[in-house]
């Protein structure tokens, strides 16, 4: 964590002054008269972006744990499908995955009367479930491979000692194996979460109105190009900074929490 003394170093002061000068120049020289009109739409798009990020990251990580565990120690009939899933997800573009789910799977559902008449049909007609599914599977595919390495990296001696002490397999997994694997993967997890944030604009291609889609609408309506893009870049930069700060704090807290356990 950067302290006040580190923040006041000459090179940091120069960077801060340059950034403030750029912000002042943007505020005074560019057009911002469109902002009040589109502010409610932008706030709604920002909420959808954050919602997509949080939900798909949590669901994707929960799916990545069994994927990584299956590849690390699972039998072949579990390890092989998990490995194939991670390979396919990591080897194909996310945009292609979103389109396959939305235009492929989404076009199959209307052909089944049971689905059209079910209570799920009002949701399946919309684009956001397919966006959530695609982003969740993408995150799980990447993190599943990361978790495989994290599970394999935990010392086998600790696990054997816990079993010899009389701990049940699930207790060993919950209290020793999983916490240490998560601690090992935290720096990568923070980076993958920021990459997930930068992947959310792709959902605009299937009519989900996130913050990127709002900026595109402003450009189309007003023919103002740079201002919406600069504001969009600032929004992503702030969210990415919050994510990085959040994971750094977790990295500082996890070792002491594990020691207390």
């Amino acid at each position: 964590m950067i302290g006040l003394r580190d923040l006041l170093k000459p090179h940091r002061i120069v960077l801060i002054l340059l950034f403030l000068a750029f912000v002042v120049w943007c505020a005074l020289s560019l057009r911002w008269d469109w902002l009040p009109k589109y502010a409610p739409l932008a706030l709604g798009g920002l909420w959808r972006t954050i919602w997509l990020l949080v939900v798909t990251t949590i669901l994707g990580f929960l799916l990545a744990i069994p994927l990584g565990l299956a590849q690390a120690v699972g039998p072949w009939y579990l390890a092989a499908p998990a490995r194939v899933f991670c390979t396919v997800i990591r080897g194909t573009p996310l945009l292609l995955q979103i389109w396959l789910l939305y235009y492929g799977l989404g076009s199959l559902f209307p052909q089944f009367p049971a689905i059209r008449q079910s209570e799920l049909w009002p949701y399946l007609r919309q684009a956001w479930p397919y966006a959530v599914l695609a982003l969740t599977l993408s995150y799980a595919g990447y993190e599943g491979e990361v978790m495989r390495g994290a599970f394999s990296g935990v010392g086998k001696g600790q696990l054997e000692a816990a079993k010899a002490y009389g701990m049940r397999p699930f207790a060993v997994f919950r209290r020793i194996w999983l916490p240490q694997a998560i601690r090992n993967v935290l720096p990568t997890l923070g980076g993958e979460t920021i990459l997930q944030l930068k992947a959310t604009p792709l959902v605009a291609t299937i009519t989900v109105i996130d913050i990127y889609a709002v900026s595109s609408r402003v450009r189309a309506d007003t023919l103002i190009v740079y201002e919406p893009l600069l504001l969009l870049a600032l929004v992503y930069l702030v969210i990415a900074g919050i994510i990085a700060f959040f994971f750094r704090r977790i990295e500082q807290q996890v070792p002491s929490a594990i020691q207390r356990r």
Side-chain angles (χ1 to χ4, degrees):
M1 189 173 177
I2 298 176
L4 181 60
R5 182 176 299 178
D6 294 331
L7 190 62
L8 295 179
K9 288 182 178 180
H11 70 284
R12 294 187 185 277
I13 294 177
V14 171
L15 290 176
I16 292 173
L17 291 177
L18 289 175
F19 177 74
L20 292 177
F22 178 73
V23 171
V24 171
W25 177 81
C26 290
L28 298 179
S29 303
L30 301 179
R31 286 186 55 187
W32 301 103
D33 54 314
W34 53 271
L35 192 54
K37 177 182 177 180
Y38 291 94
L41 189 61
L43 290 176
L46 177 61
W47 160 249
R48 292 185 188 93
T49 296
I50 296 174
W51 184 87
L52 277 172
L53 175 65
V54 172
V55 170
T56 59
T57 298
I58 293 175
L59 294 178
F61 184 70
L62 292 177
L63 181 58
I65 292 175
L67 286 172
L69 191 63
Q71 294 181 82
V73 296
W76 67 268
Y77 53 83
L78 294 179
R83 191 174 297 113
V84 169
F85 172 81
C86 292
T87 301
V88 170
I89 292 296
R90 298 169 67 204
T92 55
L94 176 57
L95 182 60
L96 177 61
Q97 298 167 19
I98 293 175
W99 284 359
L100 283 175
L101 288 174
Y102 180 66
Y103 295 109
L105 187 62
S107 63
L108 290 177
F109 286 150
Q111 302 178 18
F112 299 96
I115 295 179
R116 290 202 311 269
Q117 297 171 6
S118 68
E119 296 181 356
L120 293 176
W121 180 239
Y123 301 99
L124 295 177
R125 294 177 57 185
Q126 302 180 47
W128 66 265
Y130 305 97
V132 170
L133 180 59
L135 290 174
T136 298
L137 295 179
S138 175
Y139 193 85
Y142 283 92
E143 283 305 309
E145 189 67 22
V146 173
M147 289 303 297
R148 177 194 62 79
F151 282 126
S152 301
V154 176
K156 296 297 187 294
Q158 301 180 58
L159 305 179
E160 295 298 331
K163 293 178 182 177
Y165 187 71
M167 295 180 65
R168 295 182 178 180
F170 181 74
V172 174
F173 174 77
R174 181 178 61 87
R175 302 190 61 180
I176 297 177
W177 204 0
L178 181 61
Q180 293 202 39
I182 292 178
R183 182 186 62 179
N184 295 337
V185 83
L186 274 176
T188 304
L189 186 61
E192 291 291 342
T193 303
I194 293 176
L195 290 177
Q196 182 81 340
L197 168 68
K198 293 189 288 186
T200 54
L202 294 177
V203 302
T205 61
I206 58 172
T207 71
V208 177
I209 308 299
D210 69 328
I211 188 64
Y212 173 79
V214 174
S215 69
S216 299
R217 179 172 174 178
V218 172
R219 295 198 310 272
D221 292 348
T222 64
L223 301 181
I224 299 174
V225 177
Y226 297 107
E227 289 83 346
L229 292 177
L230 287 173
L231 185 59
L232 181 65
L234 179 62
V235 168
Y236 283 123
L237 185 62
V238 169
I239 299 176
I242 294 173
I243 293 172
F245 175 78
F246 174 74
F247 276 96
R248 284 184 189 139
R249 291 301 299 269
I250 293 180
E251 289 177 33
Q252 295 172 359
Q253 298 296 327
V254 164
S256 58
I258 291 179
Q259 291 175 0
R260 289 195 298 269
R261 293 173 68 92

